[in-house]
C-alpha cells in the first residue's frame, strides 16, 4: 500500500500507513496433545490503493513439548485450518463494520 501523507503540526511531511495487525496465540485443550503446542496467527489488514483492504494471513505452530512422530501431522493440519479461522474472523469484522452483530 502506498503511504498517505499526514499533516503534522510542523508540516514535517510525516507519512502514515493505514493498516492494522491482529496477533493471536491459542492453545486447544480439547484436542489430543493440545497442551503441548501453541498456534500463533497473524492477520495483516492493509489499506489498498483501490480503496479496499488487502488481507495477509500467516501463522505457525510452536511446540512446547515433543509430540513425536505426530508433530508433522499436527503442524500441517493446524496450518491448513488457518484460512478457515481467518475467514470467520473477517466475516465477523465485516458485520461489525456494517453495524450488525452475530448472535
Amino acid at each position: 500500500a502506498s503511504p498517505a501523507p499526514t499533516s503534522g503540526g510542523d508540516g514535517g511531511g510525516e507519512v502514515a500507513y493505514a493498516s492494522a495487525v491482529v496477533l493471536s496465540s491459542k492453545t486447544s485443550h480439547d484436542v489430543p496433545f493440545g497442551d503441548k503446542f501453541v498456534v500463533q496467527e497473524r492477520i495483516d489488514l492493509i489499506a489498498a490503493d483501490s480503496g479496499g483492504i488487502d488481507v495477509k494471513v500467516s501463522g505457525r505452530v510452536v511446540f512446547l513439548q515433543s509430540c513425536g512422530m505426530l508433530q508433522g501431522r499436527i503442524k500441517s493440519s493446524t496450518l491448513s485450518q488457518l484460512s478457515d479461522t481467518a475467514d470467520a474472523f473477517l466475516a465477523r469484522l465485516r458485520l461489525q463494520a456494517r453495524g450488525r452483530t452475530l448472535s
Side-chain angles (χ1 to χ4, degrees):
S2 297
T6 61
S7 57
D10 62 358
E14 296 176 28
V15 176
Y17 292 91
S19 65
V21 177
V22 178
L23 300 172
S24 69
S25 185
K26 306 167 194 163
T27 300
S28 298
H29 298 284
D30 58 342
V31 297
F33 300 102
D35 60 333
K36 297 184 185 302
F37 64 93
V38 175
V39 179
Q40 295 178 338
E41 185 176 15
R42 177 182 174 128
I43 301 174
D44 292 279
L45 305 168
I46 305 159
D49 293 337
S50 65
I53 296 176
D54 292 331
V55 178
K56 179 182 173 191
V57 178
S58 57
R60 66 182 183 166
V61 179
V62 178
F63 288 92
L64 307 172
Q65 295 177 353
S66 175
C67 296
M69 295 184 341
L70 293 176
Q71 246 175 241
R73 186 172 211 167
I74 290 170
K75 183 177 179 180
S76 63
S77 173
T78 302
L79 293 178
S80 71
Q81 295 176 29
L82 279 183
S83 66
D84 292 339
T85 59
D87 287 345
F89 170 75
L90 293 172
R92 292 186 77 82
L93 193 59
R94 283 186 195 103
L95 287 173
Q96 288 290 333
R98 292 182 187 134
R100 292 180 265 186
T101 60
L102 290 176
S103 308

